Amino acid sequence: MRLPRRPRGPRGRKALAALISTAVAAPVLLSAAPADARTADGPARQHQKAERLARQLERDASAKGAYRHLKALQRIADANGGNRAAGTAGHEASAAYVHRLLKQAGYRVSYQWFDVWQAKTLTEKLSVVSPDARDLQVKAAEFSPSTPKSGLRAALALARVDKDSGCAADDYQGTSFTGRIALVKRGGCTFAEKQKAAAAAGAVGTIIYNNVAGGVAKPSFGSPADGKVPTAGISQADGEALAAAAAKGEVRVALDIQQQHIKRRTPNVIAETRGGDPRHVVALGSHLDSVPEGPGINDNGSGSAGLLEVALKLADRTRRSGQQPTNKVRFAWWSGEELGLLGSEHYVAQLSGAEREKIALYLNFDMIASPNPAQLVYDGDDSDHKGSGPGPKGSAEIEKLINGYLDRKGTPHEGTDFDGRSDYGPFIATGIPAGGTFTGAEGIKSPEQAAKFGGKAGAPYDPNYHAKGDNLSNLDLKAFDTNIDVIAHAVGIYAHDLSSLGGGARG
């Protein structure tokens, strides 16, 4: 979770296509379109069915029920080197666990295999050589080219700092970057685009510093083909200190990155209801893969387990009532998110235009049990006026539905930007309305948020983000339960009634 920003529009779609594996799986088979149940029942009846199912799913689904899935994911990680990363036995076992339970519950379930690359970092070192010698904490970019065996020594050159620092050629004008290492601030575009622009300006390496306090930037390029020059990430504090020193005089650094790149196969798990109108698909997803550094129980075992809990409860309700949802409900557990949203990008790319039009909306749940949580709802209407603009038409209505539910429960919440760092990105890029919730990653909780949500101000939402400590002890179960209720409510409503999307309803 929490990847670099991904641009939307034509440039974003080109980047998306470049990152997607060439191995394209067959699309999920859909049943023949039935008569439209909404027409038969009428709007009032559909709304009643939706509200009733939502209440039932909220009662049935719980953090306690979902916790058993988290325990299973922890056991899988423990048995497979401590992680569940895409392309590893740990992830395949996680996918098999989810697939088995959904199959038993009666869903139409499939694996969707695609290729991913894995990066094994052997060396990652960064030192200031002059004017003041010191070592810095650094993380090699995923799929960075390696430096020469002896490392790379060069002077720093500063890319322009603005809202999209280092993303375009003019961010490298006014200073010679030839033979130097570019120092670039995070944000505004992908890590891959930043180092590509730096390389085009003549830089022999790139150092990207974080745009939030606390934590070292961890760049990722998606595949080895995207890496142009050796690239590494550092913290905001170290980056700003280097920039200040370089503005006064020459700063020379030594960068040493040695990395191996290995191609693997990995599956998405796709499950859909056997009933429901395939012309109106309600899609939900969570990424199932962890980073190699840890078991990923919050990131994103939490979203995966919450989604699985609600999917199983929906199947149970359907079986007991004999009543299929009006709309087809499709659940997805993505692989390769931590490598650059690869699973969701692959899925969206292999859909035909007609199949994309059938998807009424997409809901994303990534990190919903952070131990120092904030209750964040994706800002579909851009009412916060931060970062990216609004989501596609219908996204504002999704945000309104989630906010309205939380308001009725008396649960405080606030917006979070569609910054392109999770699996809603590929759906938004093709015009599918999106939404969902999030409880925070490496960002720092403000005093105002601590007053609103509780917890500790000045500390990360998840201090074990992308680390070995992201295990069963790294959870806030109250936040987990709240967000499972959000999933249950949304599934219940949208399974029968898409009218709240208004003019944003598709299909």
Side-chain angles (χ1 to χ4, degrees):
M1 167 59 190
R2 310 309 292 166
L3 290 161
R5 294 174 63 93
R6 289 189 176 274
R8 301 215 291 266
R11 183 177 67 172
R13 288 191 289 272
K14 290 179 181 177
L16 181 155
L19 285 170
I20 292 171
S21 161
T22 56
V24 177
V28 175
L29 294 176
L30 299 176
S31 56
D36 196 329
R38 289 166 296 190
T39 303
D41 282 348
R45 172 63 175 155
Q46 287 305 118
H47 184 70
Q48 290 172 359
K49 288 164 64 176
E51 290 285 352
R52 181 169 62 251
L53 179 59
R55 289 192 299 270
Q56 290 169 339
L57 292 179
E58 289 163 41
R59 288 195 301 266
D60 295 346
S62 67
K64 182 178 180 180
Y67 192 77
R68 66 189 175 101
H69 306 309
L70 293 180
K71 290 196 292 184
L73 296 178
Q74 180 73 64
R75 288 194 300 270
I76 289 169
D78 292 344
N80 290 279
N83 70 78
R84 301 179 299 100
T88 69
H91 177 264
E92 285 196 32
S94 301
Y97 173 81
V98 171
H99 188 286
R100 175 175 57 82
L101 292 180
L102 293 165
K103 193 77 172 178
Q104 291 172 350
Y107 283 95
R108 182 179 289 114
V109 193
S110 63
Y111 289 119
Q112 184 184 52
W113 292 87
F114 60 99
D115 292 336
V116 296
W117 286 87
Q118 288 181 302
K120 183 178 181 181
T121 299
L122 307 175
T123 305
E124 50 184 4
K125 295 179 181 178
L126 177 64
S127 302
V128 178
V129 177
S130 64
D132 300 312
R134 66 187 188 280
D135 294 332
L136 300 178
Q137 187 180 3
V138 65
K139 292 183 179 178
E142 206 85 35
F143 307 117
S144 170
S146 294
T147 61
K149 293 288 186 182
S150 59
L152 186 63
R153 289 190 174 216
L156 289 178
L158 306 181
R160 186 170 62 194
V161 175
D162 53 21
K163 65 181 178 63
D164 52 1
S165 304
C167 295
D170 60 5
D171 290 330
Y172 299 88
Q173 294 178 356
T175 301
S176 174
F177 284 81
T178 302
R180 297 187 175 192
I181 295 175
L183 181 64
V184 186
K185 187 175 182 179
R186 181 180 186 178
C189 64
T190 67
F191 291 124
E193 288 176 303
K194 289 179 184 291
Q195 57 90 45
K196 183 178 180 181
V204 294
T206 309
I207 297 171
I208 300 174
Y209 63 96
N210 219 343
N211 57 356
V212 295
V216 173
K218 173 64 174 177
S220 177
F221 298 157
S223 77
D226 297 314
K228 305 302 179 186
V229 292
T231 300
I234 59 175
S235 69
Q236 182 183 56
D238 284 341
E240 290 179 346
L242 286 176
K248 297 177 182 177
E250 184 176 89
V251 174
R252 294 186 64 82
V253 298
L255 177 64
D256 186 2
I257 295 173
Q258 303 300 321
Q259 199 171 83
Q260 295 177 346
H261 302 149
I262 306 160
K263 187 162 76 171
R264 305 279 191 190
R265 300 266 295 161
T266 190
N268 293 326
V269 179
I270 313 294
E272 64 178 25
T273 54
R274 294 187 178 272
D277 189 342
R279 297 168 299 181
H280 303 278
V281 177
V282 176
L284 305 93
S286 295
H287 77 87
L288 187 57
D289 61 314
S290 75
V291 293
E293 290 80 7
I297 299 304
N298 184 38
D299 183 15
N300 181 38
S302 62
S304 294
L307 202 63
L308 182 57
E309 165 78 352
V310 173
L312 296 178
K313 292 299 188 283
L314 174 63
D316 185 57
R317 277 286 166 185
T318 299
R319 183 170 55 252
R320 285 193 283 163
S321 68
Q323 183 179 73
Q324 291 286 339
T326 303
N327 306 306
K328 188 163 294 287
V329 183
R330 186 176 300 159
F331 298 94
W333 287 263
W334 310 118
S335 184
E337 191 268 1
E338 298 291 4
L339 300 177
L341 315 184
L342 298 187
S344 54
E345 285 185 339
H346 175 76
Y347 175 80
V348 171
Q350 58 82 41
L351 293 171
S352 68
E355 288 170 326
R356 287 196 296 271
E357 283 298 317
K358 293 172 185 175
I359 299 177
L361 73 156
Y362 173 74
L363 300 178
N364 193 72
F365 299 95
D366 189 352
M367 300 182 71
I368 60 171
S370 302
N372 189 28
Q375 183 59 52
L376 306 175
V377 179
Y378 288 115
D379 184 18
D381 62 0
D382 196 32
S383 56
D384 294 344
H385 306 296
K386 294 180 181 178
S388 301
K393 191 174 182 180
S395 302
E397 287 74 16
I398 296 171
E399 180 190 10
K400 182 178 179 181
L401 182 136
I402 296 174
N403 285 344
Y405 174 76
L406 292 171
D407 288 341
R408 290 192 298 275
K409 294 291 184 179
T411 301
H413 56 86
E414 61 185 55
T416 187
D417 186 41
F418 275 134
D419 59 8
R421 289 177 61 183
S422 193
D423 289 301
Y424 53 77
F427 290 86
I428 285 176
T430 56
I432 296 171
T437 59
F438 170 52
T439 55
E442 83 277 31
I444 303 300
K445 178 175 279 189
S446 69
E448 294 78 14
Q449 288 177 321
K452 181 188 292 186
F453 303 116
K456 185 177 180 181
Y461 303 111
D462 187 345
N464 290 292
Y465 170 71
H466 282 191
K468 184 178 180 180
D470 186 3
N471 53 36
L472 287 174
S473 66
N474 186 56
L475 301 168
D476 185 299
L477 295 180
K478 182 178 179 181
F480 191 35
D481 197 62
T482 294
N483 285 280
I484 290 172
D485 283 345
V486 169
I487 300 172
H489 179 76
V491 168
I493 295 296
Y494 291 134
H496 285 301
D497 186 5
L498 295 172
S499 64
S500 63
L501 292 179
R506 294 155 57 94

